[in-house]
């Protein structure tokens, strides 16, 4: 099985990279900033971890970088499944806690406000299909599922919140819908694994809370990813 993780920040991927002792592949994507780590697990099973990379000294985050990374990863690596692993904001009122890990039950954009007929509105929201195995994985690993909504900004405007609430969003990130969009075009199954760094309704500055909790959330994410890889390999045997 060819498993490909798409991760925005090196800090989010670091514990997972260390745990599997994957090797960095220099120049895998030419002059593009995205970085490939890979390891032959056993037999025909391969683990790829692709990180967006950096520009101007900082990690590339957001939809543009995620779209580029996912496209190049799929074209180069031909994975059986793409897993977008990363951190997110969430809502205290819906039971979220710092470091809690979820499997995505759905995914959409919350900040693409396109007025017009139903076709334009549908395209703007996205609501891309996720892997049919998502619920199976959540049940097997004892994790909750929640809908992820994606935007291009770390903060959130009142109109974003309205769209999130109207569409049942529970987790807020900056990459998942972009990854799922590319997967939908290329017909590759997509799964989302998200760990909470900040509480949208917690009353704390978003960037401050995100920075303080990134290390913890990334380590909790790594624990789940190890179990997820083991599970996927076990059911393929």
């Amino acid at each position: 099985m060819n498993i490909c993780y798409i991760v925005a920040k090196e800090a989010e991927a670091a514990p997972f990279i260390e745990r599997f002792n994957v090797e960095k592949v220099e120049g895998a994507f030419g002059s593009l900033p995205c970085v490939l780590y890979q390891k032959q697990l056993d037999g025909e099973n391969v683990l790829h971890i692709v990180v967006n990379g950096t520009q101007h000294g900082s990690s590339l985050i957001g939809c543009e970088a995620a779209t580029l990374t996912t496209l190049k990863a799929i074209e180069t690596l031909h994975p059986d499944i793409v897993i977008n692993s990363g951190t997110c904001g969430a809502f205290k009122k819906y039971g979220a806690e710092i470091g809690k890990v979820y499997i995505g039950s759905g995914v959409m954009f919350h900040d693409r406000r396109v007025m017009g007929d139903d076709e334009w509105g549908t395209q703007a929201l996205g609501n891309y299909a996720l892997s049919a195995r998502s619920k199976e994985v959540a049940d097997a690993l004892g994790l909750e599922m929640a809908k992820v909504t994606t935007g291009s900004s770390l903060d959130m405007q009142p109109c974003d919140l309205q769209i999130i609430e109207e569409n049942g969003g529970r987790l807020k990130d900056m990459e998942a819908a972009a990854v799922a969009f590319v997967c939908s075009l290329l017909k590759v199954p997509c799964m989302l694994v998200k760990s909470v760094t900040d509480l949208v309704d917690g009353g704390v500055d978003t960037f401050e809370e995100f920075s303080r909790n990134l290390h913890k959330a990334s380590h909790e994410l790594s624990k789940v990813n190890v179990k997820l890889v083991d599970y996927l390999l076990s059911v393929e045997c």
Side-chain angles (χ1 to χ4, degrees), residues 135-231:
K135 187 177 187 310
E136 169 194 333
V137 166
D139 290 343
L141 302 186
L143 300 174
E144 289 186 28
M145 300 188 75
K147 187 171 186 177
V148 183
T149 74
T150 297
S152 293
S153 299
L154 185 63
D155 68 355
M156 180 176 61
Q157 300 302 310
C159 49
D160 297 335
L161 178 59
Q162 180 181 350
I163 293 173
I164 291 171
E165 295 283 12
E166 288 177 351
N167 290 274
R170 296 292 181 267
L171 308 176
K172 172 185 173 291
D173 86 335
M174 297 179 66
E175 289 89 20
V179 174
F181 163 64
V182 178
C183 288
S184 73
L185 296 178
L186 301 180
K187 296 179 172 53
V188 179
C190 178
M191 192 176 296
L192 308 177
V193 187
K194 296 291 171 178
S195 180
V196 178
T197 51
D198 55 281
L199 300 175
V200 177
D201 53 351
V204 180
D205 176 76
T206 301
F207 183 73
E208 176 188 336
E209 192 171 29
F210 166 81
S211 300
R212 184 171 66 238
N213 296 316
L214 178 59
H215 180 78
K216 175 180 179 179
S218 298
H219 275 272
E220 294 303 316
L221 197 59
S222 175
K223 293 177 187 177
V224 168
N225 282 328
V226 170
K227 294 178 182 178
L228 175 51
V229 170
D230 287 345
Y231 178 77

Side-chain angles (χ1 to χ4, degrees), residues 20-223:
F20 274 97
N21 193 31
V22 292
E23 296 183 2
K24 185 176 182 179
V25 180
E26 299 291 346
F29 303 109
S31 60
L32 294 176
C34 34
V35 180
L36 171 64
Y37 298 86
Q38 71 177 17
K39 182 174 184 178
Q40 187 80 32
L41 297 174
D42 56 66
E44 298 181 352
N45 298 313
V46 183
L47 173 64
H48 297 103
I49 302 174
V50 186
V51 182
N52 287 348
T54 62
Q55 187 178 46
H56 304 308
S58 61
S59 294
L60 285 164
I61 58 175
C63 297
E64 294 85 357
T67 300
L68 176 63
T69 299
T70 306
L71 176 62
K72 293 305 296 183
I74 292 175
E75 288 184 338
T76 304
L77 306 172
H78 308 291
D80 297 308
I81 187 169
V82 165
I83 302 172
N84 175 224
S85 172
T87 57
C88 67
F91 294 85
K92 184 178 180 180
K93 66 181 179 181
Y94 295 128
E97 300 174 354
I98 301 300
K100 186 173 181 177
V101 181
Y102 295 83
I103 299 294
S105 60
V107 64
M108 58 172 279
F109 290 99
H110 63 246
D111 66 349
R112 297 206 300 185
R113 296 174 290 277
V114 180
M115 307 306 175
D117 56 26
D118 289 344
E119 286 77 12
W120 281 104
T122 297
Q123 181 192 136
L125 290 176
N127 280 313
Y128 306 108
L130 296 176
S131 169
R133 306 187 81 165
S134 295
K135 187 177 187 310
E136 169 194 333
V137 166
D139 290 343
L141 302 186
L143 300 174
E144 289 186 28
M145 300 188 75
K147 187 171 186 177
V148 183
T149 74
T150 297
S152 293
S153 299
L154 185 63
D155 68 355
M156 180 176 61
Q157 300 302 310
C159 49
D160 297 335
L161 178 59
Q162 180 181 350
I163 293 173
I164 291 171
E165 295 283 12
E166 288 177 351
N167 290 274
R170 296 292 181 267
L171 308 176
K172 172 185 173 291
D173 86 335
M174 297 179 66
E175 289 89 20
V179 174
F181 163 64
V182 178
C183 288
S184 73
L185 296 178
L186 301 180
K187 296 179 172 53
V188 179
C190 178
M191 192 176 296
L192 308 177
V193 187
K194 296 291 171 178
S195 180
V196 178
T197 51
D198 55 281
L199 300 175
V200 177
D201 53 351
V204 180
D205 176 76
T206 301
F207 183 73
E208 176 188 336
E209 192 171 29
F210 166 81
S211 300
R212 184 171 66 238
N213 296 316
L214 178 59
H215 180 78
K216 175 180 179 179
S218 298
H219 275 272
E220 294 303 316
L221 197 59
S222 175
K223 293 177 187 177

